[in-house]
Amino acid sequence: MPQFTTFLVQNGIPLEALIWLLITPIAVTLIVIARHLIGIKGLGITTPLLIGFAFATTGLTRGLIIFFAILAIGFLIRSLLARVRLLYLPKIAIILSGITLAVLFLLPLVAPLGGKSLPFPQAAFSIIILIFSIDQFISFLNERGFKSTLGIVVEVTALALLTFSLLTSQWLIRAVVTYPLFVIISILFINLALGRWTGLRLSEYLRFKNLIFK
Amino acid sequence: MLHSRILGIDARNLLYIKPSLTKKNLAVLDNKLLTKKSLRKAGIPVPKTLGVIASAKELAEFEWKNLPSSFALKPNRGFGGQGIIVVFAKRDGEVGRESRIAHLFGKRTEEPAWIKADRSIIGLSDIQNHILDILDGTFSLGSKRDLAFFEERIKIFKLFKTYSFRGIPDIRIIIYNSIPVMAQLRIPTKESGGRANLHLGAVGVGIDMGSGITTHAVHRDRPVSYIPGTQLSPKGIKIPEWKDILELAIRAAQAVDAQFLGADISIDRDRGPMILELNARPGLAIQIANMMPLRERLERVRDLRIDSPTKGVKIAQDLFGGGIEEELEELSGKKIIGARERVTLFGANNQTYTTSARIDTGAYRTTIDRSIAEKLLLTTIIKYKKVRGALGKQERPVIDLTFELDREKIHTEAFIASREDLNYDMIIGRRDLKKFLIDPAKNILLKNQ
């Protein structure tokens, strides 16, 4: 381990926490690349990133089951409330409470899956993250309709899986522990370049294919 | 490479929207009532505002009797055409509405009702509920609280009636540096529910900047030949008052002080063209509708400074017009030339001679002046031919001639004659015009020699 990592670990930062902190900028950069070079939007940076971290805590199978259950229940309660005239925030609060209740019943069924027991209390926080992501999905649904929302669910899931795979990659963990400063500095330069990107996204090559190959 | 000339979303945001918009004019552009106020101040026609509702209290006190029988109801900070209700007539008399609760008590409530653009009926309480949704920010950018307002309904212009499904088509013009760079006609379809927004399923039709004639069409990002669900081709429609429409768009951009924006213009049957809305983030499908990349056009006017709207119109028509002509050339496989054309003749001595020639479909053979033939050493006479001309019967010498017209090399036999007293020292006859279509309106400014 290089001096920088050793220094931090000796001063009370657990190695696991350090690894997650160092991988965060890499995950964020990949989400930026997905947005600007590929054209996957996925509700901004925060939502897919946090869901990816939640998956890393709960384990992939359990995480995915809980995530999709939350989405299904959230959309269901929203459609039940569609005809009731309520302000947006109280409506979201009702949906969140309903989901929480449902997840409490779901947890005993899901917990035994995936071998190891759920690492509480971290897992509780991960489940809260998953529950609260519904706010973003519902406001998107209100603005853009159901079909676009299904698309965004796929995109967010893909980006969350990407984040999850970074957090669990032994190769990447070794790399960030060995070269922490190099990783952060190169991330900085990559994003300076991405910030000036004015080319077409991969999705736009598809969108404008008739114009390109006319 | 063509794809680098296409405008993508990142380039649009970073290179054009961001430098163009200050906080101040973005506040105006994202607020329909403020936009209309700025435009009215500049003397630009906009639909009349019939009433504004800012709170539930104002809604309760609103005088419905003062509304005309047709109107549009809009959220002030709405985007993408959402939350807009258009009614085109009031239902005769008070209409009974089965209210569930009132029904329980054996009562029938009576309330006014209107006919919506899709011909369904909407009662007063539905409209009131919709206004509450608008006030809650259901349709506004960032879900912020909003105002609702009533607006004069635009009456559809006759020419567009055939093409449009119920709603009103509008003309989107992208303006940069006070120069219109690209335009499209947006036609509502059944799928778009009478709205003119492309992402809702409306058809976009590219417009040739020079002539105001529609060219290609796009639906859901795909090129189409017909309006979906019909046998109607939206190509070849001539937009009336095209120059005035372009000028209106330029004046609107100047009124809100925006360097880059999309102006939406509707043509009212009675009042003519007016600005319906201004859009700070115009969509990019307009490139498919025109089969033209936008970024290249934006680059071409990047450093231009325009002092008057009229000049902006002229530059736009000169720079970006002519799409129609190219398409005709593609369709027919023939090039379009004017009544006068620049021509280069090739001599026997490897010399060339360039002149303006008269395209003369009244003559069979091409004729050149004796002086040209001498200059180019084209003196080998291959035969003599009799011609019946204005000067009576003549016998003229014929030579072998090679010339270039509109990048097309032509080998032919041509007459030599004395043309020193005539306006042109060369005329090109039918024999050599088989690869061309002639448009007398082209090159009218080309000088004789």
Side-chain angles (χ1 to χ4, degrees):
Chain A
M1 274 196 286
Q3 278 189 344
F4 181 65
T5 316
T6 328
F7 170 79
L8 290 173
V9 172
Q10 280 170 356
N11 282 278
I13 298 179
L15 191 59
E16 261 119 56
L18 187 64
I19 289 167
W20 278 30
L21 284 175
L22 285 172
I23 289 181
T24 306
I26 301 176
V28 167
T29 304
L30 283 183
I31 292 173
V32 171
I33 289 174
R35 159 80 68 101
H36 289 292
L37 301 194
I38 303 174
I40 299 175
K41 283 188 196 146
L43 292 177
I45 286 181
T46 325
T47 310
L49 189 78
L50 286 178
I51 294 173
F53 274 98
F55 287 171
T57 315
T58 60
L60 193 56
T61 326
R62 286 186 292 220
L64 281 173
I65 293 174
I66 296 172
F67 177 56
F68 286 123
I70 286 169
L71 285 178
I73 296 161
F75 290 157
L76 182 76
I77 301 177
R78 176 194 170 270
S79 66
L80 290 178
L81 290 178
R83 301 192 65 98
V84 187
R85 160 153 293 286
L86 287 173
L87 291 173
Y88 180 73
L89 287 186
K91 207 177 225 180
I92 286 292
I94 293 173
I95 294 171
L96 288 175
S97 318
I99 294 174
T100 311
L101 199 65
V103 167
L104 285 179
F105 284 104
L106 185 71
L107 270 184
L109 299 174
V110 177
L113 298 171
K116 282 181 276 180
S117 61
L118 275 172
F120 284 106
Q122 298 96 307
F125 194 67
S126 299
I127 291 165
I128 290 173
I129 286 174
L130 292 179
I131 293 175
F132 272 70
S133 69
I134 197 75
D135 178 19
Q136 297 278 323
F137 286 103
I138 289 203
S139 84
F140 189 88
L141 180 64
N142 287 342
E143 279 173 16
R144 306 286 294 275
F146 194 66
K147 214 172 150 191
S148 317
T149 309
L150 282 187
I152 216 76
V153 167
V154 173
E155 291 186 9
V156 170
T157 312
L159 293 177
L161 288 176
L162 182 74
T163 308
F164 169 84
S165 63
L166 294 181
L167 290 169
T168 50
S169 153
Q170 289 307 314
W171 175 85
L172 191 64
I173 290 172
R174 263 199 304 280
V176 294
V177 169
T178 325
Y179 311 106
L181 291 176
F182 173 75
V183 166
I184 291 178
I185 290 168
S186 40
I187 286 295
L188 184 75
F189 280 102
I190 291 171
N191 279 296
L192 280 176
L194 286 171
R196 290 191 169 77
W197 174 255
T198 58
L200 291 183
R201 300 171 178 181
L202 189 63
S203 59
E204 288 176 326
Y205 278 98
L206 294 176
R207 182 184 187 195
F208 296 120
K209 59 179 183 298
N210 294 305
L211 196 53
I212 296 169
F213 305 111
K214 72 172 175 183
Chain B
M1 281 202 296
L2 179 67
H3 63 255
S4 61
R5 294 189 265 142
I6 294 173
L7 187 69
I9 202 148
D10 292 318
R12 180 195 73 177
N13 294 347
L14 191 67
L15 301 177
Y16 300 103
I17 294 181
K18 213 167 168 212
S20 148
L21 292 176
T22 59
K23 243 185 186 157
K24 198 180 128 218
N25 62 21
L26 193 62
V28 173
L29 284 171
D30 283 341
N31 184 324
K32 289 179 182 144
L33 288 169
L34 274 183
T35 304
K36 288 214 293 187
K37 199 173 152 193
S38 307
L39 293 175
R40 257 197 308 268
K41 222 160 117 190
I44 295 166
V46 289
K48 280 182 213 116
T49 307
L50 304 169
V52 181
I53 295 177
S55 65
K57 187 165 169 271
E58 285 183 31
L59 175 63
E61 292 164 357
F62 191 74
E63 284 292 340
W64 295 92
K65 285 190 199 86
N66 296 346
L67 275 184
S69 58
S70 79
F71 58 80
L73 170 61
K74 294 184 174 180
N76 186 35
R77 290 170 183 282
F79 59 97
Q82 290 182 24
I84 297 175
I85 288 183
V86 179
V87 306
F88 66 87
K90 197 163 184 175
R91 274 286 293 254
D92 286 335
E94 305 275 286
V95 168
R97 178 173 181 274
E98 305 275 345
S99 154
R100 271 183 219 103
I101 299 168
H103 200 71
L104 282 179
F105 298 97
K107 279 184 193 164
R108 270 170 68 91
T109 47
E110 302 280 322
E111 65 169 12
W114 289 268
I115 301 165
K116 273 208 299 194
D118 63 1
R119 304 211 179 138
S120 64
I121 288 170
I122 184 164
L124 178 62
S125 51
D126 294 327
I127 287 188
Q128 284 167 331
N129 276 336
H130 187 79
I131 292 174
L132 286 173
D133 278 335
I134 291 176
L135 296 178
D136 281 354
T138 314
F139 309 106
S140 80
L141 276 167
S143 298
K144 281 189 224 118
R145 282 194 65 78
D146 201 1
L147 307 178
F149 67 98
F150 293 100
E151 193 173 80
E152 163 196 20
R153 184 181 69 96
I154 304 235
K155 289 180 285 304
I156 190 163
F157 186 68
K158 234 183 189 156
L159 171 70
F160 294 153
K161 210 166 181 174
T162 344
Y163 298 98
S164 178
F165 183 85
R166 284 168 195 170
I168 309 281
D170 63 23
I171 297 155
R172 156 70 56 87
I173 298 174
I174 295 189
I175 306 271
Y176 184 53
N177 271 346
S178 291
I179 297 168
V181 284
M182 204 173 266
Q184 71 176 341
L185 179 66
R186 307 190 305 168
I187 303 176
T189 60
K190 197 169 181 177
E191 183 188 347
S192 77
R195 285 171 293 185
N197 303 81
L198 259 56
H199 67 269
L200 298 176
V203 169
V205 197
I207 303 176
D208 173 56
M209 197 54 85
S211 59
I213 295 174
T214 58
T215 54
H216 307 273
V218 61
H219 174 250
R220 294 262 175 225
D221 283 348
R222 282 199 189 86
V224 289
S225 301
Y226 299 98
I227 294 174
T230 72
Q231 295 296 310
L232 285 168
S233 166
K235 300 175 188 179
I237 305 172
K238 172 110 178 71
I239 310 285
E241 299 175 56
W242 180 237
K243 275 190 185 175
D244 295 344
I245 288 173
L246 290 177
E247 195 178 319
L248 197 63
I250 298 172
R251 283 170 54 214
Q254 290 177 341
V256 296
D257 200 21
Q259 195 190 11
F260 177 76
L261 62 67
D264 294 345
I265 295 173
S266 255
I267 305 179
D268 185 84
R269 199 164 56 207
D270 306 324
R271 291 180 59 199
M274 57 173 100
I275 300 282
L276 200 59
E277 244 166 58
L278 296 179
N279 198 321
R281 307 167 194 84
L284 302 171
I286 190 168
Q287 300 175 97
I288 309 172
N290 280 279
M291 276 294 168
M292 279 284 168
L294 182 56
R295 189 166 175 177
E296 181 191 24
R297 291 191 173 188
L298 291 167
E299 290 299 331
R300 284 175 75 181
V301 300
R302 173 180 278 276
D303 300 319
L304 294 182
R305 293 288 169 268
I306 299 305
D307 39 24
S308 79
T310 339
K311 205 165 171 190
V313 172
K314 174 121 186 46
I315 290 176
Q317 289 189 307
D318 286 352
L319 279 182
F320 306 127
I324 287 281
E325 197 171 273
E326 274 163 31
E327 195 183 340
L328 263 178
E329 289 182 351
E330 218 168 86
L331 269 175
S332 62
K334 295 184 181 190
K335 290 189 162 165
I336 296 178
I337 54 173
R340 299 185 191 116
E341 282 290 335
R342 294 300 274 182
V343 179
T344 303
L345 294 87
F346 299 93
N349 50 356
N350 286 331
Q351 278 197 11
T352 60
Y353 177 82
T354 302
T355 185
S356 289
R358 163 65 83 188
I359 307 301
D360 185 357
T361 53
Y364 176 68
R365 265 174 219 271
T366 296
T367 306
I368 59 171
D369 185 55
R370 186 157 286 126
S371 64
I372 305 177
E374 278 160 14
K375 233 174 265 172
L376 297 177
L377 299 179
L378 297 169
T379 42
T380 324
I381 292 159
I382 49 174
K383 59 186 167 192
Y384 285 87
K385 276 265 178 190
K386 279 184 190 148
V387 275
R388 234 173 269 113
L391 309 166
K393 261 192 184 173
Q394 263 187 338
E395 232 184 23
R396 283 186 187 169
V398 177
I399 53 152
D400 270 321
L401 176 68
T402 304
F403 65 94
E404 195 179 84
L405 169 59
D406 199 8
R407 278 164 287 144
E408 210 47 68
K409 226 177 206 166
I410 297 162
H411 304 278
T412 187
E413 295 175 354
F415 282 131
I416 294 179
S418 296
R419 299 187 56 81
E420 54 264 25
D421 300 332
L422 299 160
N423 280 337
Y424 298 90
D425 53 10
M426 176 175 187
I427 59 165
I428 301 175
R430 290 195 299 279
R431 188 181 197 271
D432 305 326
L433 292 172
K434 285 168 190 152
K435 287 181 183 164
F436 302 94
L437 294 172
I438 297 151
D439 175 5
K442 198 180 170 180
N443 294 348
I444 43 175
L445 297 175
L446 193 70
K447 293 236 170 67
N448 314 345
Q449 303 258 326

